[in-house]
Amino acid sequence: MLTMEGGGETPVMLSGRLDATQAASAQSYLDRLQGVVTLDCSDLQYLSSAGLGVFLKTHKRLLAGGGRLRLTAVNRHLQDIFSYSGFDQILEIEPAR
Amino acid sequence: MSESASFARRIDALAEIVAFTAAAFERQGIAAALRTEVDFVIEELFTNIVKYGRGEAPVTIEIAAIPEGVEVTLTEPDADRFDVTRAPPVDITLPAIQRQPGGLGLHLIARLVDSVQYAYSEEERCGRVVFRRTRADPSPDATAASEDERC
């Protein structure tokens, strides 16, 4: 289960698991946003390659409009996934404290 | 000790798989710290079967405790041969605009497990993937192997 709240002037709060069952709804939510979009990942417990695909598609769309996707409060599991996939080189990522 | 369950080839079976894995870990005393990576690898393998497999028979997942870790086996009946250990490499150094998400899952599996093996039986048309995860920080390159054998 994944919940998403916020956007626009506030960070998008992600909570739960972003897996293949949740990727379509996550993509629909992020497709509405423009500019610099911040995802607060402090309660995002799990991310699969389906979620990486959502982030990549969103980042590329935002880049085309002069914006970007940035992630904050990224936990160790997510950091590993971003590092192993090279996403740490294309996304702005702030680790969890 | 090991336990297994079979799952329909639907993406929404992932919730049942996660619940099965959690229960199996708890019953067998497997370190919970390994769960996230194991869930990840199972999801990538299972969704790959759902997306590209042509069969309809359920996929069986077996979870077995091993010293300091876990061994997981996914068995796909009615399978065409597809060796997940020989998936095309992914260039993770490309800039965002040139990146495509395809293939990332299989690429990541090799980084998250200690070993992964693929076996295929022509006679039974059955594919099987066995992977092991035995410590918190796997080596950068897992050992991979493939072979022909009975499922």
Side-chain angles (χ1 to χ4, degrees):
Chain A
M1 186 65 185
L2 177 77
T3 60
M4 302 176 74
E5 295 178 358
E9 299 300 313
T10 61
V12 177
M13 307 293 295
L14 296 173
S15 179
R17 300 171 64 90
L18 179 40
D19 61 14
T21 67
Q22 304 297 317
S25 60
Q27 189 69 68
S28 295
Y29 192 99
L30 294 175
D31 282 348
R32 297 179 296 168
L33 304 176
Q34 301 292 334
V36 178
V37 175
T38 300
L39 304 183
D40 185 326
C41 300
S42 52
D43 291 322
L44 182 61
Q45 300 155 1
Y46 175 87
L47 177 75
S48 70
S49 71
L52 288 175
V54 171
F55 289 172
L56 178 62
K57 183 177 178 183
T58 302
H59 183 58
K60 290 168 76 170
R61 178 182 61 80
L62 294 172
L63 281 176
R68 67 185 188 279
L69 187 67
R70 57 188 300 270
L71 286 70
T72 63
V74 174
N75 69 31
R76 170 69 188 278
H77 161 65
L78 300 182
Q79 287 182 54
D80 286 346
I81 297 300
F82 289 133
S83 172
Y84 298 156
S85 62
F87 275 44
D88 59 341
Q89 302 301 308
I90 60 178
L91 295 175
E92 181 181 336
I93 296 172
E94 180 182 306
R97 294 180 180 172
Chain B
M1 178 183 177
S2 70
E3 50 197 297
S4 64
S6 296
F7 301 93
R9 299 184 186 213
R10 304 189 313 264
I11 294 295
D12 60 10
L14 283 172
E16 299 167 43
I17 293 173
V18 169
F20 165 70
T21 303
F25 267 55
E26 187 168 346
R27 280 192 290 265
Q28 298 184 50
I30 301 167
L34 303 177
R35 269 262 333 269
T36 304
E37 282 73 20
V38 168
D39 280 350
F40 185 101
V41 176
I42 291 175
E43 176 178 338
E44 301 302 336
L45 294 170
F46 183 78
T47 57
N48 202 62
I49 292 170
V50 173
K51 288 178 184 174
Y52 305 112
R54 293 191 295 177
E56 295 183 355
V59 175
T60 299
I61 299 175
E62 180 179 2
I63 294 178
I66 60 174
E68 298 185 42
V70 60
E71 179 179 274
V72 179
T73 304
L74 276 81
T75 303
E76 177 193 6
D78 302 330
D80 295 320
R81 182 190 292 271
F82 179 72
D83 187 344
V84 296
T85 69
R86 296 182 180 177
V90 176
D91 186 350
I92 64 169
T93 66
L94 291 173
I97 201 69
Q98 296 178 34
R99 294 291 299 269
Q100 300 294 331
L104 266 179
L106 296 182
H107 164 81
L108 289 167
I109 286 173
R111 303 299 305 268
L112 294 173
V113 301
D114 299 324
S115 66
V116 57
Q117 294 179 297
Y118 177 79
Y120 183 76
S121 166
E122 293 278 3
E123 186 179 323
E124 301 174 36
R125 295 196 67 249
C126 179
R128 185 174 67 190
V129 180
V130 182
F131 71 88
R132 286 185 166 209
R133 171 76 193 214
T134 59
R135 55 188 182 277
D137 295 306
S139 61
D141 298 304
T143 60
S146 58
E147 56 187 284
D148 293 331
E149 64 173 49
R150 302 181 71 85
C151 282

